[in-house]
Amino acid sequence: MKKLLFGFCAALSLFALVACGGDDDAGNGNGNGNGGGGSGPTSSAGSDATPTAEDLERLSTIDIPGFTRSDSRVIASAANALYTSTEETAGGANILVTVRVAGCDPFICGTLDPKDYEDAEAQRNLKSVLSTALIESPGLVWDFGSTELAPGKTGLHTYAAGYLETTEASGTSRVSANAYRAWYHDGNLHIYIEAFQRGGDSPQSLDDVTTLMSMAEAEKAAKDVFAAFAPEFGK
């Protein structure tokens, strides 16, 4: 079980590095964690209907109304794409949405029951995509649970918003995160979606962070993107 959750977090971190350049951008919420050991969910994945190279290429080039697609590629047997919202949030930022679609294997297609992630160790693993400083910051906003991404397709999500300011003799450093992540599978195909804010004024407080992109705005963007992929599941 330790191997499962570690593999899941590592796969997500790999895509974040490729799609977003691997920077620990203080405003994009990608963090720098690679996951860790610890108890995790058991797999419910099947082994049939593995997507072909042609399937993955098609999945990486799906266009979505209201978003501009870029950085489409197939990496490590997974279709990856980056979408940028054409409209800005109420706070004046764009929402970037990364998508990773792959065939199920025991490392990524685990239980979708939120009760199986309630223990402290599982929660720490989910938070490992954030920097340690933000994980330990008292003001971190953290939300985890199930979410209906489309009718009849309920997955899991996390939302993290944080801001930490440190002043030393050399100056003031700031780190922030603001990202909504969701994942779902049908036992054969798995999808991972991450929505985060890009642009707008540099945040100077946690209120600034959540103003640039609220959880509701991020969740809507994630669901709008998932809608384009929903017909691929349950075939």
Side-chain angles (χ1 to χ4, degrees), residues 97-195:
V97 182
T98 60
V99 176
R100 180 184 188 275
V101 184
C104 270
D105 65 42
F107 292 97
I108 60 174
C109 287
T111 172
L112 294 174
D113 186 344
K115 293 182 179 179
D116 292 326
Y117 297 82
E118 289 179 345
D119 67 83
E121 193 168 10
Q123 286 293 300
R124 281 196 301 272
N125 275 293
L126 291 173
K127 291 178 181 178
S128 65
V129 292
L130 301 170
S131 68
T132 301
L134 283 176
I135 293 174
E136 297 175 351
S137 64
L140 179 68
V141 177
W142 175 258
D143 188 82
F144 166 76
S146 61
T147 184
E148 188 176 51
L149 293 166
K153 295 176 173 61
T154 299
L156 295 173
H157 80 272
T158 66
Y159 172 71
Y163 177 86
L164 186 64
E165 185 174 304
T166 305
T167 301
E168 299 176 345
S170 57
T172 300
S173 62
R174 299 178 177 88
V175 60
S176 65
N178 191 7
Y180 180 93
R181 300 173 174 89
W183 60 99
Y184 171 76
H185 70 82
D186 61 2
N188 292 314
L189 196 64
H190 179 278
I191 187 169
Y192 172 76
I193 299 173
E194 179 180 24

Side-chain angles (χ1 to χ4, degrees), residues 77-98:
S77 299
N80 300 273
L82 175 65
Y83 297 91
T84 303
S85 65
T86 55
E87 293 187 2
E88 293 183 344
T89 66
N94 291 103
I95 297 180
L96 273 63
V97 182
T98 60

